[in-house]
Amino acid sequence: MLGPFTVRDSDGRTIPVEGHRVVALLARLALSPGETVPARTLVEDLWDGDPPAGGKNTLQRLVSRTRGYLREHGSEALLSGWDGYILDVAPHDVDAWEFEHLAAEGSRLLNDQAPGEAVLRLRSALDMWGEPLADVDTAFARTAAHRLRETHRRAVEDRIDAESRLDDPARFLPQLRALCAEHPHDERAHGLLMRLLRENGQDSEALTVYENLRRALAADLGADPAPWVRDLHTELLRGHAPTPAPRGNTAPGPYLTRFLGRDGELAEVGRLFRDTRLVTLFGPGGVGKTRLAAEFAGGSGARFVDLSPLRTGHSITDAVASAAGVESAPVLGRALPDQDRFARIASALSGTLLVLDNCEHLIDDAADFALRLLAECPDVRVLATSREPLAVAGEATLALDTLDPESPAAVELFREHAALARPGFSVTDDNEAAVREVCRRLDGLPLALELAAARVRTMTVPQVAQRLDERFQLLSGVRRSTLARHQTLRAVLDWSWDLLTGPESALARRLSVLPGGATAHTAAAVCAGEGVPESEVPYLLASLADKSLVHTVVPESGEARYRLLETPRVYLRERLREAGEEEVLRERRAAHFVGLSERTASDLLGPDQCRALEVFDREYDNALAVVRGGAPEPAARVVMALSWYWIIRGRYEEAEYWTRGVPADDDGERAAALAALRTILPVDSEDGREPSAMEVGQRARRVRALDSYPPLAVLESKCWLAAGEHEQVRASAERARRSTHPWVRAAGLASLALVAEATGDSGTAERCTAGAVREFRAIGDPWMTAQLVAALSKYQSLRGDVDAAVRDLRDALELLRPVGSADSRNLVLVQLGGELLRSGRLSEAERTFTEMLTGERTPVVEHRVLCALGLSELELARDRPERARERLAEARSLFGQARFDTGYLRVEVLRQSGAVLLASGRVAEAEATAGEAAAAAEAIGESPSRALVAELVAEVHHRKGESASAARALGDATRTRGRRDDGSPRVRELAAALRESLGPEEFRRHYRA
């Protein structure tokens, strides 16, 4: 990567690779070593935003060719991940990664006042240097190369800074002069040169260097030098050397951007100071603690002391003395006694606000100093900022969290900083989704949003969002700052990491394998051992929460849950890999969540269903982590366990995606069960090559896995039903009825109801449905009970007992309420709205449809189609055909977006179209539409749909004056369904009209024909 692109095997032998696209692929994957790079990102990057025809298929062929080169030399490093690819190498085996790591480590050591160790790291980094990615001519490579060059320049400056502290400063002047000439806006290089010239007695030239910098910044960028460079200039003018002690008589800044999203916290600080004189703002790095403190202190004459440069607690007094204007030099030849000096500090601060910024690395000393000052000076107030509270008596704390990623404040913060990088930038319909994705994936952390926004200077927002998988490279080298730890996202986290104890750091990095967070029990099960005693895990978690590294969620009932935000988790995953613990932690995670998932899956089929759903909801991301990054066997077991959860929750796309990636087991049970699941999912197959429903049904019957996977009793029958094999449905149902498993037996009865309905045996269908309801109620499965109660209501309505149908549907809603299945609930609401219409309770029906449309979760488009059709029918009942036509137009528009049950929905849209046309007096058009509906109903082969269309045809004949044909069509509907629809006002009115026009005997003759 640094110099000519080269791939070597584990013995150091070169592996030849041919073709610029192959080189580009390996280079792109090497920028994220050991991590999955999504296929869509690779297509975007390798073809510079102009993907070839075939997209992912073309990428697959490129990957196969590249694998061939590697395999010829015994390497299997190019792996497939979930929807992406991985270069399975250690980060240290990628020279660019190792270079950046050594440079960052050297910079950290320099900041920690360890120039000797820093020099060793920096020399090692610079020895590796070569022109980066010279063989790759793509936008991603140019961006990465620019970042690496910037890192190289900073490393050169760090090495000069470190070596100049150990050697004669004059030795480095020529190199610094050359750097400044090459980079006329580089404040770091100019500042270093000014310092070394001053130390070499060349003050006049140092002033000239400053003036050159000032003019270049003003002319080219319209900016002034950074505050620390201006301070250095002032010291030169005064004729004495700069002091390393921090200056703190004013707040940091100046801040040039608006203060966003923290008005509530700002008011809360003032309220807290009404009750105490010590307030601590604590939260993760980059969250905005210093900015909030500066806004509160602004214009109040406060003394602002940044403790971050200090390395010992003793220097806090010196820093505060400097801020208060208390001299620390000897007086009349004697050093001022500490007690007298502290008294002078207290006197100087009397009546003021003292801000102690960044206390976390000197937390005990800062707490002691604050308590002593407050005890000696009763009219002083102290506002501290830290990544953890001071934890002293009388302290009020305000936890500063990240901005809500969905809030207007987060979006506006990104927009404002992006507009600074690219004037005229605004959030539009085209980029809003990408802006919100950036805000979400960066957890609303203000510093991260500012750094990401700065990238808009050279990238589009979607490109920024795509590259967040490499966020530490993306969000570096984009701005200068007086605080080194705020120049990059990695520096912020390095600072927090360095404050952890050994056990804390071990637990923190191990938590990175749990993307869904963890209770103390789960954390102990997965992360304890080897430096983390199991008994200490709850206390270590509390400590990590106090240090703002993990977020704590305390539910009303149950255990507290500890969660890493995404950016710290990515950082800690790198630390886990560096510690060599990644593989063993993945194995522990798999063992824990396979067991938990399988136990929970069993509970989904009984009285503990609601609790089991809550467990899967909480642990979903952790369970999927086993699927994404685990061995095939545990991954497959977790997918099997999750399968019925996906059905209950209506997460069909996820079920289709994850089941497709699971390898088949040797005995075929798992493969057959998951194939049956995919067959009944209401989603399109990804590749269109799924076996037929009949083939899947045959496989499911052969494996005989009902006892190990009870839901197969439902899935197999539905496969046979989809294939139109009614006798096979009955055979599967009877086999299930012979099972010893109560849930399987009840499912068998439900399957008998399905086939009876499909074949027009309405009486048997109702009896079997009622029996299945009783059995599932006894088992305690609320979700299956609700589905069957809703099905039973249809038969009650057909018999004319619409009130009973309404009662049952409301019972189904109550059963679903604790289960929390929005899709199932919405479908019942549509059905309830229809029954209320049939009973003439139009206002209640309207409220029911509105409740579905305005619920917490937006209904799926298919349910919105049915709701629009119901509202259209409502308008017909109110004799408002124009309004009915408007609602029908909404349904037609939504139907174009539907993905599942499209055959059934097409019948319903055509049927309602015919009804609206009839109400408008357009009988000929209604007749043509009824014909289309009849053909569509025949195509899907469902008796209820064919019966409803036959009723529409009967209405058309009646309006044409063809009473005999109308009676025959109405009779066809009854025979198709197995029962006349006595609950339908339209059917009752039509039957009465036909009896009157034909006479009772003639009506019966045609009706039965």
Side-chain angles (χ1 to χ4, degrees), residues 225-264:
W228 69 272
V229 183
R230 297 200 301 269
D231 287 347
L232 188 56
H233 179 243
T234 300
E235 296 289 353
L236 283 163
L237 292 174
R238 289 175 178 171
H240 58 79
T243 173
R247 300 190 59 79
N249 56 335
T250 59
Y255 288 106
L256 305 179
T257 55
R258 289 183 298 154
F259 182 61
L260 292 168
R262 298 294 191 195
D263 291 341

Side-chain angles (χ1 to χ4, degrees), residues 779-800:
I779 292 167
D781 182 331
W783 187 78
M784 281 296 289
T785 304
Q787 309 306 305
L788 290 160
V789 166
L792 186 61
S793 72
K794 291 187 296 185
Y795 303 114
Q796 293 167 326
S797 182
L798 288 172
R799 286 192 282 101

